Amino acid sequence: MSTQPSPGANALLHRALQHVEDWEQSWGAFDKHPSLGVDPDRLDNVFDEYLERLEGNYPFHHPHYAGQMLKPPHPVACAAYAAAQRINPNNHALDGGPPTSQMETEVVADLAAMLGLPDTALGHLTGGGTVANLEALWVARELRPDQAVAVAENAHYTHGRMSDVLDTEVVPVSADARGRMDLDSLERALEQNGIGTVVLTAGTTGLGVVDPIDEAIPLCEAHGTRVHVDAAYGGFFRLLTEDAAPEIEGFPAERFRAIEDADSVAIDPHKHGLQPYGCGCILFRDPAVGRLYQHDSPYTYFTSDDLHLGEISLECSRPGAAAGALWCTLKALPLAPDDGLGPILTACVQAARTWTEAVEATDALRVVAPPETDIVSYVPATTESSLSAVHEASQALFDTAMNDPDDPIFTSVYQLSADALTSLHPSLTADRDEAAVLRSVLMKPGHETYAESLVERLSTLAMESV
């Protein structure tokens, strides 16, 4: 499929806002209340200060930023969000946002299909992965009130925090050196504890690895245990398991495919779905769990007998703009392995392979573990073989690269346990409990082009610091 250059972000935004303004005027002019006015000089001063302060951000949009999980939203999403935000629909009830509520229903169905869930799956958008996972754990508690939740020790910390909120017991499960759930430890937990639900992770926020979902789900089924997959970070990579997707070395396709057998899945469109923050999603295989949300409201659900999104959500007011932006984005960039979003995801995963190959080609850096998704871990080569030396060298290179006045590169650091590091690199001496390693999150497709040159620059800085 050939493509033409798309309009710039400013042109899309102008078109979107102009259309909404015309729509507003079609309802008839009216006098704005004088209390809404702002003194022009004060407004100029406020905006001057505001815009200047925004310049204090790191350049999240630039390939030189390969630090945390920060991905700029697509211009299509920004323009669509701004247009709906001007109207400010509320997707809690149908009368609060009829068009965006319908859009939400459609994009939730699209996400469920991408993940392999049945077309009867129940779901809705959320404020992010934290709320999506909270709802999954809440449903788990309601379905199995006297049973615990098993979570791998390298799973996102939100599961522990939300379990505290829900007063639900958490049983920790050991992880291997790469950070993936250990199946032997899981089996022992299932045999020795009253486990109602197991949380598996499709893309950890540390090293981007994927739990052995394909092996863990049958194990859970044998013990009559439910499975929730936290695919907040990596869920969109399931697109790359389809036949039309390219084969990528080290990509755990079989584990992503197995998401289709989960009882619930959390996914974050504000990560690899190119959306602004405030867009997560929770999906349930069994639509009957909707009964758990049942509640009565004396003033919200009156325009239609159809299901209102607020009737299947723990959140009340939710931005219709988030649904509108996601709907528009997925129409412009479809959920397909070889079109739309697929090539973007492929470029990110390939960038991690290019980055890894470039690190392996240097004498100044060492790969900690090969990537599974789009996150790479590495350390400076040190003359000493202690964890302390690795820790200090990693921290020093992180600081030097970020603060370089001429050519800064933004990475991040990640603390790995002594057991994990010495298992991955037996030559290291464990003289401390954990050590920092460098971590690059290659979420932008442009990283595929820049990976080699960025590693070359990091290598130069590492050698200069020796």
Side-chain angles (χ1 to χ4, degrees), residues 288-361:
V289 303
R291 73 186 188 279
L292 301 173
Y293 291 90
Q294 187 172 2
H295 65 281
D296 187 31
S297 172
Y299 65 92
T300 50
Y301 311 128
F302 60 87
T303 57
S304 172
D305 292 332
D306 293 339
L307 182 69
H308 294 256
L309 290 164
E311 295 178 280
I312 54 168
S313 169
L314 288 183
E315 293 176 273
C316 292
S317 296
R318 296 180 305 110
L326 181 57
W327 183 91
C328 201
T329 304
L330 297 186
K331 290 296 182 183
L333 295 165
L335 289 171
D338 54 351
D339 182 27
L341 210 59
I344 297 173
L345 295 165
T346 297
C348 296
V349 176
Q350 292 286 19
R353 276 70 186 157
T354 301
W355 190 290
T356 301
E357 292 170 1
V359 168
E360 290 173 337

Side-chain angles (χ1 to χ4, degrees), residues 374-424:
D374 60 353
I375 299 178
V376 183
S377 56
Y378 52 101
V379 294
T382 59
T383 55
E384 299 179 30
S385 60
S386 68
L387 292 191
S388 291
V390 168
H391 177 86
E392 292 168 6
S394 296
Q395 191 66 57
L397 182 53
F398 166 76
D399 293 334
T400 300
M402 184 173 69
N403 294 306
D404 188 295
D406 300 318
D407 191 21
I409 299 174
F410 299 84
T411 63
S412 60
V413 293
Y414 182 67
Q415 302 290 334
L416 270 180
S417 70
D419 287 343
L421 267 173
T422 54
S423 294
L424 294 168

Side-chain angles (χ1 to χ4, degrees), residues 13 15-17 19-20 77-89 321:
L13 185 59
R15 176 183 173 186
L17 293 179
H19 183 89
V20 173
C78 293
Y81 195 102
Q85 189 180 43
R86 173 75 177 262
I87 302 169
N88 204 27

